[in-house]
Amino acid sequence: MLEDGRALEVVGISAFDERIYRGVLACPGITVQELVMRSGESAGRIQSSLSRLRAKGLVSRLWGRSPRWTATNPGTAIRSLVRGLQSELERLTDTADELEAAFRTVGQDPGEGGQFEVLAGPEEQARWYVRLQQEAKEEVLTFDRPPYVLDYHNPLQTGLLRNGVRYRTIYTPGAFDHAGAFDEVGSLIKAGEEARILPELPFKMAIVDRWRAVMPLHMDPPLTRGVLIQGSTMVVALVELFERLWREALPVRPELWREPGSAPEPAGEEPGPLEPVGETPGAAGLGAEDRRLLALLAAGLKDDAIARQLGTSPRSLRRRLRHLLDELNAETRFQAGAQASRRGLV
């Protein structure tokens, strides 16, 4: 059997044709009958494959009594195919721009089916996010995770919370990677935000008054394109997804992340002993440092972020983590935090 291959599918070469091509490449001057013997395929199928490869410039036919086949220079042939593909992609991009312009034109009237508008560029996405919040009357639902369109700060939220707009946000641990994130979210929660956390979210979005939503069309930075959805069943589906994940998420409890006035643990110091956790544990069984550590575990934060927050060294943190995992009979850090939250330890 000839070697299987799928590497050239991106330039229009099927897995079968690539297998035949590799056979020709390995044996210059090979005949169709020899390829039949090597592959076990019919002569007609192999002949058709060779014709397609020849049209792509990958093989050429050597004339003689018994026609033989040889491969052309792979680097030259494949690069030529790549250039052709790039030209086609450029034409497709131009077509996409034309279709988008038509989409915007017909999308101005929502009608009965709702309105979808593509938002080109981070600035336009940010502008709509601000506008939707400013027009919110009841509630804003948000998936908060990196990457961010322009900035992770939301200066409007505190004022809107004071005006009676309800904010519910599901965060991922990555939302707390930037400096000052703990304090900022703590301030928002004090102002009235309801915050929960999950290890990951499928995308980021904001839904306003269960009628309009804004979200990026991809999650690879930079976020160059987004979509505004209004009055559509798609918004209903997004609200349903939010509510389901909200029920699964754990509450964010910043009051346990940092104890005011407490001194950080010296970088090289051994962790203090952890009191045993019984069958029906309560918060009294753990010290303040361990309760804060469990709260950070429940938030799904990475070790480096936890160590920075607690003012300890990564090495000391790992020792304490290992002890906590053993005591809670947990296999992962997030599992330990989740168990601690559900058992009332934090």
Side-chain angles (χ1 to χ4, degrees):
M1 290 293 292
L2 298 179
E3 180 185 353
D4 253 345
R6 306 183 76 88
L8 299 180
E9 283 185 332
V10 68
V11 289
I13 308 297
S14 70
F16 177 78
D17 287 355
E18 181 176 346
R19 193 155 61 95
I20 299 302
Y21 172 65
R22 289 178 181 271
V24 176
L25 186 65
C27 300
I30 195 169
T31 65
V32 170
Q33 192 56 40
E34 288 171 334
L35 286 169
V36 169
M37 295 175 61
R38 286 170 177 265
S39 66
E41 301 290 344
S42 67
R45 190 179 182 195
I46 290 177
Q47 189 65 56
S48 297
S49 175
L50 290 170
S51 297
R52 290 191 295 270
L53 292 170
R54 186 181 186 186
K56 294 280 189 179
L58 289 170
V59 300
S60 60
R61 184 176 177 182
L62 304 175
W63 296 98
R65 270 184 198 177
S66 179
R68 297 178 177 273
W69 294 85
T70 188
T72 59
N73 185 302
T76 302
I78 294 173
R79 288 189 186 95
S80 177
L81 292 174
V82 170
R83 286 193 295 271
L85 178 61
Q86 289 172 336
S87 297
E88 292 181 12
L89 290 175
E90 289 173 0
R91 287 195 296 272
L92 181 59
T93 300
D94 293 339
T95 301
D97 291 338
E98 295 173 5
L99 293 174
E100 182 177 325
F103 175 80
R104 287 173 178 275
T105 300
V106 300
Q108 296 308 306
D109 179 13
E112 295 182 358
Q115 175 181 351
F116 295 78
E117 181 177 350
V118 175
L119 309 177
E123 291 78 9
E124 188 172 6
Q125 294 178 66
R127 180 176 62 82
W128 268 106
Y129 180 49
V130 169
R131 176 177 169 181
L132 291 185
Q133 290 183 92
Q134 290 172 332
E135 297 175 357
K137 294 181 175 61
E138 296 179 3
E139 185 178 47
V140 178
L141 310 176
T142 305
F143 283 169
D144 190 316
R145 54 155 290 184
Y148 294 96
V149 175
L150 292 177
D151 192 0
Y152 59 85
H153 292 291
N154 184 7
L156 295 174
Q157 184 171 340
T158 301
L160 290 168
L161 283 165
R162 290 171 181 163
N163 291 335
V165 177
R166 184 186 186 192
Y167 271 80
R168 286 194 288 155
T169 304
I170 302 178
Y171 293 93
T172 64
F176 300 99
D177 284 347
H178 54 268
F182 295 99
D183 295 332
E184 182 174 348
V185 172
S187 298
L188 291 174
I189 291 174
K190 287 181 180 178
E193 179 186 79
E194 300 168 55
R196 296 189 181 184
I197 191 163
L198 283 174
E200 58 184 27
L201 289 169
F203 46 80
K204 59 193 296 119
M205 69 172 182
I207 305 173
V208 174
D209 293 337
R210 299 177 176 247
W211 186 72
R212 294 193 291 183
V214 62
M215 59 191 296
L217 285 173
H218 61 86
M219 292 304 297
D220 298 319
L223 301 179
T224 55
R225 296 201 175 211
V227 63
L228 171 69
I229 312 170
Q230 303 187 71
S232 164
T233 53
M234 179 65 73
V235 178
V236 176
L238 291 174
V239 170
E240 196 65 32
L241 174 63
F242 179 91
E243 296 293 358
R244 182 173 64 81
L245 294 182
W246 180 260
R247 290 191 293 270
E248 297 176 3
L250 295 174
V252 174
R253 300 187 62 187
E255 72 275 9
L256 294 175
W257 293 348
R258 179 186 292 117
E259 183 174 332
S262 63
E265 180 183 344
E269 186 176 317
E270 292 289 332
L274 181 67
E275 296 183 27
V277 177
E279 291 299 323
T280 57
L286 297 176
E289 191 76 8
D290 289 323
R291 290 198 300 274
R292 290 198 300 278
L293 174 53
L294 285 171
L296 292 165
L297 287 174
L301 299 186
K302 298 178 182 177
D303 289 357
D304 288 345
I306 295 176
R308 285 195 304 270
Q309 190 62 27
L310 297 179
T312 188
S313 69
R315 179 184 174 189
S316 180
L317 174 69
R318 282 192 293 271
R319 289 195 295 268
R320 189 176 291 274
L321 281 174
R322 185 66 265 163
H323 199 167
L324 278 173
L325 288 174
D326 292 342
E327 290 292 341
L328 292 168
N329 193 26
E331 296 182 0
T332 66
R333 291 183 292 274
F334 186 80
Q335 186 182 51
Q339 287 186 16
S341 178
R342 293 185 178 114
R343 291 160 63 180
L345 290 173
V346 294

